[in-house]
Amino acid sequence: MMFLRTLFVWLVGLPAILILFFAVLFSFVFLRKSGAAHRIGVFGCRLALWLAGVRVRVSGMENIPKDRPVVLLSNHEGAFDIPVLQAYIPIRFRWLAKKSLFSIPFLGWAMGMAGYIPIERKSATSAYRSMEAAARIIRQGASVVMFPEGTRSHGAGLLPFKRGAFILAEKGGVDVVPVAIRGTAPILKNGSLLITPADVSVAFGRPIQTRGTAEKELHAKTKEAIEALLKGL
């Protein structure tokens, strides 16, 4: 059954990626709007979740401000965290993702056209420049999504948070919205192409103010908030 599901996902999903890529390309070239590319991405991710048999339960959407930008910080269990959050975060946002992802044919190119922000982690200077660019985009009114762990935990609990996410929130002068996601780790395991249907839960916490909050305190508050949300899932 798992093999048939996997075959179904790849046989339908890969052509869908190509079709959606050309839709993004059309919107980028002729409409000149990265927002259209983002909406196409939302549709594509909902399609991917349906094909994979992933059922998502969401709570706390009312905690995401609609009138100002924020930095949404989520734990990172598995590869399907990205399509789940893309599909169910109810505002337009920009991903902050490692630069190598933008080199993936079609998918990475579409990310660039959608205005998502690459992070170069090879050197501290490059990473700092990426954060400065992201902070400018936030100050212009765009929300950003990041995984402060920097890598997948595979369901083994929260990994240590990196500083970049909190520096970005402070530089952008915006609040942090904690996000917890549970259930994605077994869907597509590391090094495997097999797809396993699963039930996934996502919870959004109340915004955490950054102004007047020291970086260490912001780090601790965010971690505590995500841990509390995870316990409730």
Side-chain angles (χ1 to χ4, degrees), residues 10 13-28 37-38 40-41 44-45 99-116:
W10 293 116
L14 290 177
I17 289 174
L18 288 175
I19 294 169
L20 292 172
F21 167 76
F22 286 109
V24 170
L25 182 62
F26 176 86
S27 70
F28 182 76
H38 180 81
I40 292 168
C45 288
K99 190 175 181 179
S100 60
L101 292 177
F102 289 77
S103 300
I104 298 174
F106 303 110
L107 179 62
W109 303 338
M111 289 172 64
M113 285 185 281
Y116 300 158

Side-chain angles (χ1 to χ4, degrees), residues 35-52:
H38 180 81
R39 289 190 293 273
I40 292 168
V42 170
F43 171 78
C45 288
R46 286 184 177 261
L47 176 63
L49 295 172
W50 177 77
L51 291 173

Side-chain angles (χ1 to χ4, degrees), residues 10-90:
W10 293 116
L11 285 178
V12 178
L14 290 177
I17 289 174
L18 288 175
I19 294 169
L20 292 172
F21 167 76
F22 286 109
V24 170
L25 182 62
F26 176 86
S27 70
F28 182 76
V29 173
F30 295 102
L31 302 179
R32 296 289 180 180
K33 293 182 179 179
S34 59
H38 180 81
R39 289 190 293 273
I40 292 168
V42 170
F43 171 78
C45 288
R46 286 184 177 261
L47 176 63
L49 295 172
W50 177 77
L51 291 173
V54 176
R55 296 164 296 275
V56 182
R57 180 175 62 87
V58 183
S59 60
M61 279 190 179
E62 68 279 2
N63 291 322
I64 302 176
K66 307 295 192 301
D67 58 344
R68 65 185 190 276
V70 292
V71 173
L72 295 104
L73 299 183
S74 173
N75 65 308
H76 195 10
E77 277 202 353
F80 265 71
D81 292 342
I82 293 172
V84 168
L85 294 179
Q86 177 83 18
Y88 286 96
I89 291 177

